[in-house]
Amino acid sequence: MLSERQRKLLKLIVEEYIKSAAPVGSSGLCEELNCSSATIRNEMAYLEDVGFLEKTHTSSGRVPSEEGYRYYVDNLMKPKEMTGEDVLKLQRIFDNKQLVLSDVITKSMEIISEITNCTSVVLGTSSSDNKLKQVQVVPLDNNKVVAIVITDKGHVEHKELNVGDNVLPSEVKKVVELINKLLVGTPLDEVSSKLEFEIKPIIGNYVKSHEALYRAFYNAFNEFSYKNHMHMSGRTKLLDYQEFDNISKVKDILNKFDNTDMVKKIEADDNNINVYIGHENNFDDDVSVIKTRYDASGEEGTIAIVGPKRMDYERVVALLEFIKRNIER
């Protein structure tokens, strides 16, 4: 149990470190807490002993530990009141009657990414309004092709497929012709089902290597469908933080943003706005993830912000609460 002074001290240190990214020393806190520098150093030493602060290298200052951030989020912070400018930016999106709900969600999260300088993630928006317009393939070497999927709204996805040994280019071409003939106009999230029930029973009449080709295209459309339920903004925002000046660390995080299975781990489990700090999230130990589920007009999904562990939790939580409240009203 922390004393009132220790609670206030921890809150001051966390919030100062969030702003400055520099270890916090005792000298600047005396006036705030109305006590001597020696008293503050003793209190900081105690907070370090209980695991809420860490000492950095040779500096006498302290920085919050993951446990310190967790105590701050659970016990000390209060969501910030949003600025009029932030409200105005977002309200323009919510008041735009020309936008469908999925566009409202993605555009509002794009704005949050800009406001917070963090990465925003939307998972689970409807893809029923994106229909298959055309499939193309580009042959590569070593039994591989690139499948290109174009939707009626101009969205383009591509994926490298391994079609197996001894598959002739003419067979690949025939499968693509079947898909374009029978499945154009199908919502992307229904293509895999139609492949199974409409293409699979007849594909053997047209190509010998039907099993390998069917499986390759089925898996590809499964991924295209999920990607169409996924929207990210500001994936390079983390590069602006000094915590991520290590090239290998940056590459690792950017690769995770490009990995569908990793991004799926950001999905929220419930309707509360939950904060996952460092090792608590399943995405990356060096970031924090703040996320919640939404349910609006039959569309369900996750909205999330990914940022450094010293992100402005008070502001991000307030922004997500505002988004959630407006899309569910």
Side-chain angles (χ1 to χ4, degrees):
M1 180 72 71
L2 299 185
S3 69
E4 188 58 36
R5 183 165 63 195
Q6 289 162 351
R7 285 165 59 90
K8 187 174 181 180
L9 176 60
L10 179 60
K11 186 174 189 291
L12 287 170
I13 291 173
V14 170
E15 291 175 353
E16 177 58 32
Y17 186 66
I18 285 171
K19 286 189 291 186
S20 69
V24 181
S26 60
S27 57
L29 300 171
C30 297
E31 188 174 340
E32 286 274 2
L33 294 172
N34 193 28
C35 58
S36 70
S37 181
T39 299
I40 291 178
R41 285 196 298 272
N42 287 337
E43 298 285 39
M44 291 172 80
Y46 175 80
L47 291 172
E48 184 179 356
D49 287 342
V50 297
F52 291 159
L53 296 180
E54 296 174 341
K55 201 169 184 178
T56 61
H57 306 302
T58 57
S59 169
S60 61
R62 307 298 203 285
V63 301
S65 64
E66 284 190 13
E67 291 81 4
Y69 283 123
R70 171 48 58 200
Y71 189 91
Y72 169 79
V73 167
D74 290 345
N75 301 284
L76 304 177
M77 79 167 195
K78 296 178 181 177
K80 283 182 180 175
E81 186 172 335
M82 290 174 57
T83 67
E85 183 181 1
D86 289 351
V87 171
L88 185 60
K89 285 178 181 178
L90 291 165
Q91 203 61 56
R92 286 191 186 121
I93 301 297
F94 297 121
D95 292 342
N96 189 339
K97 305 304 180 185
Q98 306 297 315
L99 297 176
V100 297
L101 179 60
S102 59
D103 288 338
V104 168
I105 295 169
T106 55
K107 288 183 182 299
S108 61
M109 290 301 289
E110 286 172 1
I111 290 173
I112 288 191
S113 175
E114 288 299 319
I115 289 173
T116 62
N117 204 38
C118 293
T119 303
S120 70
V121 180
V122 182
L123 301 175
T125 54
S126 173
S127 63
S128 60
D129 56 349
N130 275 272
K131 298 178 174 60
L132 180 64
K133 181 179 180 181
Q134 188 181 23
V135 178
Q136 300 173 355
V137 292
V138 178
L140 301 175
D141 295 330
N142 302 321
N143 308 312
K144 293 180 180 178
V145 301
V146 173
I148 303 169
V149 172
I150 304 168
T151 74
D152 61 336
K153 293 193 172 181
H155 185 72
V156 178
E157 288 283 359
H158 60 86
K159 180 175 174 61
E160 185 176 296
L161 308 182
N162 189 329
V163 295
D165 298 329
N166 305 316
V167 176
L168 299 174
S170 59
E171 292 183 305
V172 177
K173 182 180 178 182
K174 192 64 184 176
V175 171
V176 172
E177 287 175 354
L178 275 173
I179 292 172
N180 283 329
K181 181 179 179 180
L182 298 177
L183 301 185
V184 165
T186 301
L188 275 192
D189 51 5
E190 297 176 19
V191 170
S192 292
S193 176
K194 287 204 170 189
L195 272 172
E196 183 173 1
F197 295 107
E198 296 184 19
I199 300 292
K200 188 177 182 181
I202 64 171
I203 191 174
N205 298 330
Y206 298 91
V207 296
K208 290 182 180 179
S209 307
H210 55 87
E211 188 62 41
L213 285 170
Y214 163 76
R215 182 54 52 189
F217 279 97
Y218 180 86
N219 290 339
F221 273 106
N222 256 345
E223 183 168 328
F224 291 143
S225 175
Y226 189 84
K227 276 191 172 182
N228 200 54
H229 287 256
M230 180 192 306
H231 183 86
M232 266 186 287
S233 295
R235 69 179 68 199
T236 60
K237 294 285 188 184
L238 293 179
L239 304 186
D240 295 337
Y241 293 91
Q242 66 183 48
E243 295 95 317
F244 300 98
D245 58 1
N246 181 294
I247 296 299
S248 63
K249 182 70 239 176
V250 169
K251 285 182 178 179
D252 181 50
I253 291 179
L254 293 181
N255 285 338
K256 287 178 178 178
F257 281 136
D258 287 332
N259 184 321
T260 301
D261 290 333
M262 287 301 301
V263 177
K264 282 182 184 179
K265 294 181 178 181
I266 296 176
E267 276 188 313
D269 299 322
D270 59 51
N271 293 322
N272 297 317
I273 293 178
N274 294 313
V275 179
Y276 299 89
I277 302 165
H279 74 279
E280 297 172 354
N281 70 72
N282 295 320
F283 184 71
D284 189 277
D285 287 351
D286 290 323
V287 304
S288 287
V289 178
I290 304 179
K291 59 186 177 180
T292 185
R293 288 194 64 77
Y294 65 85
D295 185 350
S297 302
E299 292 190 25
E300 299 181 12
T302 294
I303 50 176
I305 291 292
V306 180
K309 285 187 280 190
R310 65 176 181 93
M311 75 160 76
D312 189 343
Y313 294 99
E314 293 183 327
R315 192 180 192 198
V316 173
V317 168
L319 286 165
L320 282 183
E321 284 179 344
F322 184 82
I323 295 288
K324 180 179 172 67
R325 186 166 62 248
N326 277 273
I327 63 180
E328 291 185 338
R329 67 184 178 185

